Amino acid sequence: MADASTIAPPPPPSPPPPSSPAVLAPVPPMRTGRPVSEALLNEKWDRCLSSLLIRSSLGLSFGVVFSVLLFKRRAWPAILGTGFGAGRAYEECNSSFVQGARSSRS
């Protein structure tokens, strides 16, 4: 058996890592490889597709409600409401793209 005089004491605890911001190097912001015009075009398409989905769904909802309440559960009010919603979204998208094309020509 080893006696107490031969056992080495444990090493001292290591100091905590420095947490001051001066020690850490700042990270430069990441840039995407896309040009600004492509990013704007993608944003317009995203807005157009979400508008199409929302407006068509709202038109379908109104069509179903009117179909149930007024038209003895026929299908044409729901189809008509979906068409109105999709048409409205199409016109918004078209005007958005035409307006962007006009401003780029000037």
Side-chain angles (χ1 to χ4, degrees), residues 28-44:
M30 291 185 60
R31 291 187 47 128
T32 60
R34 295 181 180 166
V36 175
S37 61
E38 185 177 343
L40 289 174
L41 188 62
N42 287 342
E43 185 178 320
K44 283 185 182 184

Side-chain angles (χ1 to χ4, degrees), residues 40-56:
L40 289 174
L41 188 62
N42 287 342
E43 185 178 320
K44 283 185 182 184
W45 272 109
D46 289 343
R47 194 175 306 127
C48 285
L49 291 176
S50 67
S51 175
L52 176 70
L53 182 69
I54 290 169
R55 294 192 189 280
S56 296

